[in-house]
Structure formats: C-alpha cells, structure tokens
C-alpha cells in the first residue's frame, strides 16, 4: 500500500519535473511594471519662464584619482570582438586638465517648495552596446518611461537594484530587444548591473522634478529654468560620494557653482 | 551495485556544491534572471552558444543540479524496491524530498533577487543533502553491515564526534551567511583583524566574519579532540582511524584556504574550493559520528552479510529473516 502510494508520489514528481522543464520557446522579456506614468510632483504654481534663472558650473576633483580598473571581456567573444583596445571601467571620467570630472549627477536636492511641473516629455533610454551601458550615468523623472535596449548580438540581463523602488532583473537574449520601465518614487541613485558581464554597470537618478544634469567630460553642467529661490544642490559621484552647497537664484539670474570632490588618499594617477 | 551508485551520487553532489560555490564566487546568481526557464528557453534546450560569461556558471549549476535530482529519483526508487531496511527506504525518500526542496529554494532565491535568508538556506540544505547521500553510501556499504557484529561502543567518542559534526555544520551556516551577506572581506587581514587580535571596531558584517573565524578555531579544536580520542582509544579500528586522519588533513587544508580567501581578496577558485572542502570536512566528521553510533543501529537488522556460494568469497546483501529474539 505504502509502496503504491510512494510510486504515485514519484510519478507526480517526475511529471512535475517534465512540466517545469518544458515550456519551449524563448520569449521577450516583459516590462517589470506597467507604463502608467505617475503624476508630476507638486500641486502648486507653475514655474514662470519669465523670471526663471539657471545654475551652471563645473565639477572638479582635488588630487589624483585612482586609475580605472581594467576590464577583461574574454568570457564573451562578442564583447572581445566589439572592443579591440584595452578596456577600463568608467568610474573616473577626468578631463584633459586632470581636474574636471564627468559623470557626476548634479541636482536640486531641497528648496523647490510647492511647484508643479509639466509631465516629462520623451523617454529616457539606456542601451547595452559593445558590452557597456550607454549612458553610464543619467537622470530621469518619476513616471517617465525608461526604454532599455540591447544592441549587442549577445545576451544581457538588466538588473536594477533600487532601495525605494521595485527591484527588477530582466533578460534580453536577442539583439534589438527592447523593454520599458517606469520608476514610481524618486531615488538618487538607482544602480544597474548586468549579471552576465560583471563589469557592466550604470546609475540613474530618479527625481520628481526636472532640475538635474550630468557633468560632461569637461566637468560642465547646466540646470536651467530654475525659479528664483534658495536651493540645496547636491553632486553625486559613484565612488567619491556626495557634496552639497547652497545657492540663491534671483529672477532671471544665472549662478556659477563649482563642486570639488577630494580624491581618495594614495591614489594612482588615472 | 546500489552502494556504488550511492557513492557516485555523493560524488556528483560534490561537483554540484563546487558549481554552486562558483556561482556565488563569480556573483553570477542572477545572470539567468528567470527560473525554471533560462532566458525563456527550456533549461535543457537553452543554446550552448549562449552560455557566455557568468551564464556558464549559473546555467551549469542548474544542469548539474537537475542531473543530481534525477539521480536521486533513481536512487530513492532503487532503495524503495531493493532495500530491506524500512528506515533506509524512507531515508531515500527524505533525500529525494531534500533535493526537490533544494531546487525550489534555488529557484526562489533567483526570483527574489538573492535574499540572504533564502540563499543561506539553499547553502545549508545543500550540505544536509550531501550528508544524506554520504550517509546512504555508508549505510549500504558492506563494511557498515559487517561492522554490526563488533561495533565500537564508546559513549564519550559518540558525544565528542556528534558535537564536532554539529559544530562543523553550524560553522558552515555562519560561512554561508558571511558569503551571502557580502561579509567575506569585512575583516580584510589575516591572521590579525584590523591589525589587532580582536577587531577594534564593529559592524554586523564584521561580527559575522569574526564569528566564522572563532568558529574555525572551535571546529579545529573539536576535530583534534575527536581524532586524538580515536587514535588513543581505537587505534586498531581502521573504520575510525582512516577518517580521523583524513579529517585532520582536510581541516588543515580548509584553514589554509580560508586564510588565502582573505589574503587573495576572495580569489574565485580558492573561495569556491574552500566551500567544497568545508563540505568534505562535514561529511568526514559525519562518517566518524555515524560509525560511533553503529552500535545503536544493531537492533535494526534488516540485512546481514552472507557469503554467496556461487561467487566464492564475494559478499552479497540478503534479507535477514532471523528474528531478534531467536538471535539472542
């Protein structure tokens, strides 16, 4: 009796194994969340373009930053083929002057009060191309559509590791695959990684307002259409952390701001 | 034949543990984001051309795990139909349940993005399953059955050996927690800890890492106690002295690998072999422990050794139809 029962259990286990292993063809990855956009933050007055000013500036680093880590891509022939020269991480993007620092996310952290903003227009895009994320650092709005593209003839997974939003990890095995995602809460920063290619990483700053910028290779950034007021600005770098400063903008005023990060001690020149 | 098959299964489980540790060491646990499919494909039809970079580790782990699962089904069925000892038949069923649960934990930890609790449970159950396969191999061995005639009966050794095995398992759980909470380099130097005998500052990660180092010390002492007792009091019992010698060598290797894991900043292969060696320490201790408890198994005489008249002196397992009372 017991043997018969067990044989039945064994049969079910085998059947379950077959079912679990079945399922057949490859399918496109689905978006982790619906694309329904969250409403723009704030319910107050609109920003008056006639009085709006701007903050421009530069991000610099004081001292020599460490050399970016070398990347070995030989685990994937497609990545090797796409990158014939020596490859390095994008941690420190230092300008020709040895001081200016790119890939820094600069944003208004505090002081905006109760403004309302137009919904974000267009999409943010992150592309997996040549076994890298493009861009490496970027910003977007809460509720804005993020399009994730795989331009490589190899497979990637896009793994977002937020703390305040929902984590997701989607595979894109076929070249040209796309998926979309929206973040429902502001968060600075959300890291992305590809678990297949351990060197691939990127960061997105998600905000409920449009006042953010990424410093370019010369360390320059520009935040425009900012209403008059006193603001706390924060600059974020993936290794050097954050630094803040206060700035007051009058009507139609443009202020220059410089953020300076301190290089880590005992660094090897980049 | 069943004994050989069970040894083969135990060997495959060692390979599976190595594959699993390589997944964690390479941070490849989420490189295949779906489960039980692989990038939408049936696991067994996922094209090998796509087994690139970290996918090789994760997908390889899944395939080896599936193979071990199927082997376990065969072994459980084999035990059920061929093994006269009822408790051992059910033990085979329990092993099958363990490997199914292990597969489910592996899937869950992928679907929930590697939470430390599930990943640690996955690692802990892996060791239990490995212990079960080794135990089955031991229980089905002719030597085990033959030793029922003159089992070692040493209460102190039973206590010491059992304590040692429990300590080793606890140490492995702490190690698994350390791996899955990213605390492997929380104390970056060895043998000192931040240049001191005791860390001069603390965090959760440092506490876990420190516990693992203290655990290593306790396990080493416990293993020394067991091995010393075996050699001094049962030096003529090869079934005890051989694993006692082996476990000393394994512990020495394990401590060295642990130190090298820190000193090489978690070198992938050193780190992974450290996990495998830990499993071997555990099962070697388990073998010693079970042999010290062999005397308690002697009441359960479902089988006995009997010379096979057709094949000379080769021994075969045959059901024992003699009642306990009649033997006494």
């Amino acid at each position: 009796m017991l043997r018969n029962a067990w044989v039945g259990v064994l049969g079910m286990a085998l059947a379950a194994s077959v079912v679990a292993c079945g399922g057949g063809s490859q399918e496109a990855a689905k978006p982790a969340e619906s694309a329904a956009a969250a409403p723009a933050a704030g319910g107050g007055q609109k920003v008056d373009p006639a009085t709006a000013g701007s903050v421009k500036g530069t991000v610099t680093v004081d001292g020599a930053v460490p050399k970016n880590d070398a990347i070995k891509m030989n685990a994937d022939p497609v990545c090797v083929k796409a990158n014939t020269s020596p490859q390095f991480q994008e941690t420190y993007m230092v300008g020709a002057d040895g001081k200016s620092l790119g890939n820094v996310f600069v944003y208004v952290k505090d002081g905006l009060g109760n403004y309302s903003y137009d919904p974000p227009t267009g999409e943010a895009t992150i592309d997996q191309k040549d076994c890298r994320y493009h861009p490496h650092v970027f910003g977007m709005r809460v509720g804005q559509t993020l399009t994730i593209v795989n331009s490589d003839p190899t497979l990637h997974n896009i793994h977002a590791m937020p703390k305040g939003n929902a984590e997701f990890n989607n595979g894109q095995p076929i070249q040209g695959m796309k998926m979309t995602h929206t973040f429902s809460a502001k968060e600075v920063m959300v890291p992305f990684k590809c678990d297949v290619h351990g060197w691939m990483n990127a960061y997105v700053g998600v905000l409920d307002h449009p006042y953010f910028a990424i410093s370019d290779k010369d360390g320059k950034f520009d935040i425009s259409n900012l209403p008059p007021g006193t603001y706390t600005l924060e600059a974020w770098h993936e290794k050097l952390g954050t630094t803040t400063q206060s700035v007051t903008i009058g009507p139609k005023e443009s202020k220059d701001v410089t953020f300076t990060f301190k290089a880590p001690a005992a660094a090897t020149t980049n | 034949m069943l004994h050989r098959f069970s040894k083969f299964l135990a060997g495959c489980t060692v390979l599976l543990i190595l594959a699993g540790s390589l997944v964690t060491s390479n941070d490849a646990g989420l490189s295949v984001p779906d489960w039980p499919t692989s990038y939408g494909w049936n696991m067994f039809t996922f094209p090998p051309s796509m087994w690139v970079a970290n996918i090789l580790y994760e997908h390889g782990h899944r395939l080896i795990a599936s193979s071990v699962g199927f082997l376990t089904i065969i072994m459980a069925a084999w035990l059920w139909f061929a093994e006269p000892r009822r408790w051992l038949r059910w033990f085979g069923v329990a092993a099958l349940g363990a490997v199914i649960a292990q597969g489910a934990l592996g899937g869950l930890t992928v679907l929930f993005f590697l939470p430390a609790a599930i990943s640690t449970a996955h690692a802990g159950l892996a060791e239990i399953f490995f212990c079960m396969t080794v135990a089955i191999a031991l229980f089905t061995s002719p030597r085990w059955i033959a030793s029922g005639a003159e089992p070692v009966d040493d209460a102190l050794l039973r206590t010491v050996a059992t304590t040692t095995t429990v300590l080793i398992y606890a140490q492995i759980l702490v190690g698994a927690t350390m791996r899955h909470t990213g605390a492997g380099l929380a104390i970056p130097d060895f043998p000192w800890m931040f240049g001191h005998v005791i860390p001069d500052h603390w965090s959760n990660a440092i506490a876990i890492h420190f516990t693992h180092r203290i655990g290593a010390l306790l396990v080493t002492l416990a293993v020394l106690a067991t091995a010393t007792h075996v050699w001094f009091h049962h030096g003529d019992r090869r079934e005890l002295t051989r694993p006692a010698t082996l476990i000393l060598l394994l512990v020495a290797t394990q401590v060295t690998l642990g130190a090298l894991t820190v000193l090489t900043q978690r070198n992938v292969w050193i780190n992974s072999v450290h996990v495998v060696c830990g499993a071997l320490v555990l099962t070697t201790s388990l073998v010693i422990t079970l042999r010290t408890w062999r005397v308690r198994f002697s009441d359960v005489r479902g089988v006995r050794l009997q010379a096979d008249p057709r094949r000379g002196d080769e021994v075969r397992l045959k059901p024992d139809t003699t009642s306990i009372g009649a033997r006494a």
Side-chain angles (χ1 to χ4, degrees), chain B:
Chain B
M1 193 64 182
L2 176 58
H3 173 58
R4 283 186 185 172
F5 184 77
S6 61
K7 283 199 293 186
F8 175 66
L9 175 59
C12 290
T13 307
V14 174
L15 185 65
L16 176 59
I17 290 174
L18 176 63
S21 59
L22 281 170
V23 168
T24 306
S25 300
N26 282 289
D27 196 18
L30 293 175
S31 60
V32 181
D34 48 343
W35 182 89
T37 50
S38 294
Y39 284 89
W41 270 272
N42 179 318
M43 183 197 306
F44 301 108
T45 60
F46 184 50
S49 61
M50 291 186 167
W51 303 3
V52 295
N54 282 348
I55 293 173
L56 178 67
Y57 300 110
E58 172 62 16
H59 189 63
H61 179 49
R62 292 185 187 190
L63 290 179
I64 295 170
S66 301
S67 304
V68 168
F70 282 118
L71 290 175
T72 309
I73 290 173
I74 292 170
M75 195 188 65
W78 196 336
L79 281 171
W80 190 260
F81 290 111
E83 171 58 47
R85 286 167 290 185
R86 187 166 177 269
W87 62 269
L88 188 50
R89 292 200 300 270
W90 283 105
F91 194 69
V93 174
L96 178 58
V99 82
I100 290 171
Q102 179 69 350
L105 279 176
L108 284 175
T109 202
V110 167
L111 297 178
F112 288 94
F113 313 114
L114 309 181
I118 298 180
S119 295
T120 304
H122 185 59
L125 186 55
E127 302 288 339
I128 289 175
F129 175 72
F130 182 38
C131 285
M132 294 176 95
T133 62
V134 169
I136 290 171
L138 182 67
F139 295 148
T140 55
S141 67
R143 188 183 295 275
W144 170 268
I145 296 160
S147 66
E150 293 180 51
V152 173
D153 188 6
D154 183 337
L156 179 58
L157 180 58
R158 274 198 295 277
T159 303
V160 173
T162 305
T163 304
T164 301
T165 302
V166 171
L167 261 180
I168 294 168
Y169 185 66
Q171 167 71 347
I172 285 175
L173 287 183
V174 174
T177 306
M178 188 173 78
R179 274 169 75 76
H180 294 292
T181 55
L185 292 175
I187 300 175
D189 49 346
F190 184 91
W192 305 113
M193 292 180 260
F194 300 105
H196 301 80
V197 177
I198 302 289
D200 57 352
H201 60 281
W202 293 90
S203 66
N204 287 342
I206 292 170
I208 292 168
H209 190 117
F210 179 74
T211 304
H212 192 58
R213 291 198 187 189
I214 295 300
L217 187 62
L218 294 177
V219 163
T220 304
L221 292 175
V223 165
L224 278 173
T226 302
T228 304
H229 188 98
V230 164
W231 274 105
F232 273 86
H233 297 280
H234 306 284
D236 57 337
R237 301 299 296 251
R238 287 185 70 220
E239 77 268 28
L240 291 178
T241 54
R242 286 172 65 181
T245 305
L246 176 62
I247 199 171
L248 287 175
L249 294 172
L250 285 171
V251 166
T253 306
Q254 180 69 345
V255 170
T256 305
L257 287 169
L260 288 174
T261 298
V262 172
L263 295 175
T264 61
Q265 303 281 301
R266 291 180 67 238
N267 173 280
V268 166
W269 279 97
I270 290 174
N271 197 359
S272 301
V273 174
H274 181 61
V275 172
V276 174
C277 192
L280 295 176
V281 170
L282 175 66
T283 47
T284 307
S285 181
L286 178 72
V287 167
I288 296 172
T289 303
L290 287 173
R291 284 178 175 163
T292 66
W293 285 94
R294 177 65 182 93
V295 65
R296 298 300 172 92
F297 283 82
S298 59
D299 287 340
V300 188
R301 293 178 186 174
V303 294
R304 66 177 178 180
L305 281 177
Q306 192 174 75
D308 183 353
R310 293 169 301 177
R311 301 186 62 179
D313 58 357
E314 183 181 354
V315 292
R316 294 181 72 234
L317 299 181
K318 287 206 167 182
D320 184 357
T321 54
T322 311
S323 70
I324 303 293
R327 284 180 188 168

Side-chain angles (χ1 to χ4, degrees), chain A:
Chain A
M1 183 72 177
L2 278 173
R3 286 194 185 195
N4 289 340
W6 192 85
V7 168
V9 170
L10 183 60
M12 284 191 288
L14 277 167
S17 302
V18 170
V19 170
C21 296
S25 62
Q26 163 266 332
E27 60 185 15
K30 287 183 284 189
E33 286 184 12
S34 84
Q45 61 181 332
K46 292 254 185 186
V47 175
D48 180 5
T51 61
S54 64
V55 175
K56 297 179 180 177
T58 309
V59 182
T60 62
V61 58
D62 180 16
V65 297
K67 186 172 181 172
N68 286 325
D69 291 339
I71 298 171
K72 287 182 182 172
M73 296 185 174
N74 52 1
D76 190 337
V78 170
C79 302
V80 172
K81 191 176 177 185
N83 298 279
T84 51
S85 59
Q87 295 295 303
F88 297 91
Q89 284 288 5
E90 299 160 272
T91 311
Y92 299 103
M93 184 177 165
V94 180
D97 60 359
K99 290 183 176 179
S100 55
L101 187 63
N103 276 339
V104 174
F105 184 72
V106 183
Y107 70 105
V108 175
K109 185 177 185 181
D110 198 15
L112 280 168
N114 191 27
Y115 284 98
S116 65
Y117 312 103
D118 292 332
T121 56
E123 302 174 341
T125 300
I126 183 167
D127 190 6
Q128 297 149 110
K129 184 171 172 54
D130 298 338
C131 298
R132 299 269 195 175
Y133 285 119
H134 302 277
H136 180 63
V137 179
F138 64 107
M140 61 182 289
R141 301 268 298 277
V142 172
Q144 187 176 6
T145 299
L146 171 64
T147 300
I148 302 164
V149 185
N150 180 10
S151 297
D152 278 333
T154 189
L155 70 183
H156 292 291
N157 73 300
I158 180 105
H159 180 192
M161 298 166 290
K163 290 194 164 49
N165 287 278
E167 187 170 359
F168 68 89
N169 182 22
N170 292 92
Q172 294 192 313
I174 306 295
Q175 186 176 23
M177 287 182 82
K178 289 183 181 180
M179 61 169 278
T180 58
H181 182 83
T182 55
F183 290 100
S184 58
K186 63 180 181 180
E187 186 166 349
V188 178
M189 305 289 283
V190 176
F192 288 111
K193 69 182 285 198
C194 174
D195 297 289
V196 179
H197 308 97
W199 62 84
M200 287 176 65
N201 56 73
Y203 302 88
V204 59
V206 183
L207 293 173
D208 57 2
H209 61 73
Y211 302 113
F212 55 84
I214 312 297
S215 63
D216 62 18
K217 60 183 174 56
D218 297 318
K220 304 286 186 191
F221 69 89
D222 184 353
I223 300 174
S224 57
N225 199 31
L226 195 58
T230 299
Y231 303 105
T232 301
L233 266 59
E234 183 168 88
W236 171 96
H237 182 268
E238 63 186 87
K239 275 289 181 203
L240 301 176
T242 58
T243 178
T244 60
Q245 57 182 284
S246 181
V247 60
T248 299
I249 306 289
K252 289 197 149 189
E253 188 178 12
S254 180
K255 278 279 176 70
D256 274 325
V257 173
T258 298
F259 286 100
T260 302
F261 287 95
K262 191 159 183 61
T268 304
T269 307
N270 193 20

